[in-house]
Amino acid sequence: NAGVTQTPKFQVLKTGQSMTLQCAQDMNHEYMSWYRQDPGMGLRLIHYSVGAGITDQGEVPNGYNVSRSTTEDFPLRLLSAAPSQTSVYFCASSSNLRRASGNTIYFGEGSWLTVV
Amino acid sequence: GNSVTQMEGPVTLSEEAFLTINCTYTATGYPSLFWYVQYPGEGLQLLLKATKADDKGSNKGFEATYRKETTSFHLEKGSVQVSDSAVYFCALITGYSTLTFGKGTMLLVSP
């Protein structure tokens, strides 16, 4: 059982380049989301999805694009990378936590992105 | 909107000392509350959670009680170890299963 898989783990980009962070889960979860982690800021929500074909913005969506064509995959696209997007990115997935108190949110291992 | 406030770190303790990391929250509705831990260079791990008022979450010697009257979810451990050195995040969830995190508290435990 792979859980939540993120790739790549490390990436260096030049300003203006585009790239996609991949996220896949094999637990048939409805909910998927992307967070970024910055020093002293905790984790902040970028985008989330409540099911295939449905996405919405989080707290810090500017400069990022997402799509959810399948239940399993939720890629995060950086359209034109900027140094301010240097961060650690985490993908997460869960079933509807309101339906069963035993459920939890599963995180990927993180993607370290540097924009120079 | 939702928000989580944690005490600022770093918290520096000697091994076997008592640990408290304060966490208070503001939320609409009835949130579920979580503590996550992040060891150096690693991702996030769920440490414990509580889903309703007066619930106590516990794991690996850590405990936290969901206090609705004080909107708090303080993390405690009776005797910390060097291996507990990490960053601890308090978080809450409402609505669409997305988390609102505090800024994190670094814990440093010395032998």
Side-chain angles (χ1 to χ4, degrees):
Chain A
N1 188 352
V4 179
T5 303
Q6 284 182 236
T7 56
K9 185 150 188 170
F10 300 98
Q11 183 72 49
V12 178
L13 284 179
K14 293 182 178 179
T15 297
Q17 285 185 317
S18 62
M19 77 157 297
T20 300
L21 298 176
Q22 302 290 346
C23 177
Q25 52 91 9
D26 61 358
M27 297 172 281
N28 201 32
H29 284 162
E30 306 161 53
Y31 295 85
M32 297 186 74
S33 49
W34 278 101
Y35 298 84
R36 59 176 288 173
Q37 182 182 18
D38 302 294
M41 300 293 292
L43 282 82
R44 294 178 291 171
L45 181 66
I46 305 172
H47 285 284
Y48 66 98
S49 169
V50 301
I54 306 170
T55 64
D56 206 347
Q57 296 180 351
E59 182 184 354
V60 288
N62 291 342
Y64 306 95
N65 204 352
V66 292
S67 60
R68 185 95 180 269
S69 55
T70 67
T71 299
E72 294 79 18
D73 300 300
F74 190 46
L76 178 72
R77 296 183 185 85
L78 280 70
L79 307 173
S80 177
S84 61
Q85 294 179 302
T86 294
S87 188
V88 184
Y89 292 85
F90 289 96
C91 179
S93 78
S94 72
S95 54
N96 186 339
L97 297 183
R98 291 301 187 182
R99 289 200 194 127
S101 62
N103 292 336
T104 191
I105 294 181
Y106 294 84
F107 282 86
E109 293 187 345
S111 296
W112 275 253
L113 176 65
T114 301
V115 182
V116 298
Chain B
N2 298 335
S3 67
V4 176
T5 303
Q6 290 180 237
M7 60 189 292
E8 290 192 19
V11 173
T12 305
L13 294 172
S14 298
E15 207 165 24
E16 299 183 1
F18 183 86
L19 168 70
T20 300
I21 300 178
N22 291 337
C23 171
T24 58
Y25 67 89
T26 302
T28 54
Y30 301 95
S32 296
L33 302 173
F34 302 81
W35 278 100
Y36 281 86
V37 59
Q38 185 179 35
Y39 298 102
E42 298 186 9
L44 290 162
Q45 300 178 25
L46 177 66
L47 182 59
L48 53 85
K49 68 177 183 180
T51 57
K52 62 183 186 298
D54 299 325
D55 270 1
K56 177 184 282 188
S58 62
N59 186 25
K60 299 181 181 178
F62 291 90
E63 293 183 340
T65 301
Y66 189 144
R67 301 287 188 199
K68 186 179 176 184
E69 63 276 11
T70 55
T71 61
S72 65
F73 193 54
H74 305 321
L75 182 68
E76 296 181 336
K77 187 175 185 182
S79 176
V80 294
Q81 305 300 312
V82 172
S83 57
D84 293 327
S85 297
V87 180
Y88 292 82
F89 293 94
C90 185
L92 66 83
I93 192 164
T94 60
Y96 289 121
S97 297
T98 58
L99 287 159
T100 299
F101 285 90
K103 293 185 178 181
T105 303
M106 180 178 289
L107 171 65
L108 300 172
V109 181
S110 57

